[in-house]
Amino acid sequence: EVSGYELRLTAAVLHLRGRACQPQPLQSAAGDVLLWNGEVFGGGVAVADGESDTARLLAVLRAAGEAVPEVLESVHGPWALAYWH
């Protein structure tokens, strides 16, 4: 914890994937935060039809533990992100 500092994250949804707009930044119940600008075309992160790639990626990153760089390396498609774990 760093006192005296505040981190503000903002994002905009540029393209809708899934059945509903996924507000960003997306936060897990454990406090992980993901800002995602991209599209998952496959690779190591499988996204079902109608599923939000943002929500799926956050779940995969959360489960990855220390293997976050390996997960990101496996994502096929154009993307940029900020992830707080």
Side-chain angles (χ1 to χ4, degrees):
E1 181 176 311
V2 179
S3 69
Y5 292 93
E6 182 177 306
L7 177 64
R8 292 181 186 236
L9 302 172
T10 59
V13 176
L14 301 176
H15 175 76
L16 179 63
R17 180 167 180 177
R19 291 188 173 88
C21 185
Q22 185 67 63
Q24 291 204 33
L26 185 60
Q27 185 171 359
S28 74
D32 299 78
V33 178
L34 175 65
L35 287 105
W36 171 255
N37 179 13
E39 183 98 20
V40 176
F41 293 143
V45 178
V47 180
D49 287 341
E51 181 180 25
S52 164
D53 56 355
T54 306
R56 180 69 185 132
L57 182 60
L58 179 58
V60 171
L61 291 173
R62 175 80 184 116
E66 298 297 318
V68 167
E70 289 82 358
V71 169
L72 295 176
E73 184 177 302
S74 76
V75 174
H76 293 183
W79 55 267
L81 65 80
Y83 177 60
W84 179 267
H85 175 66

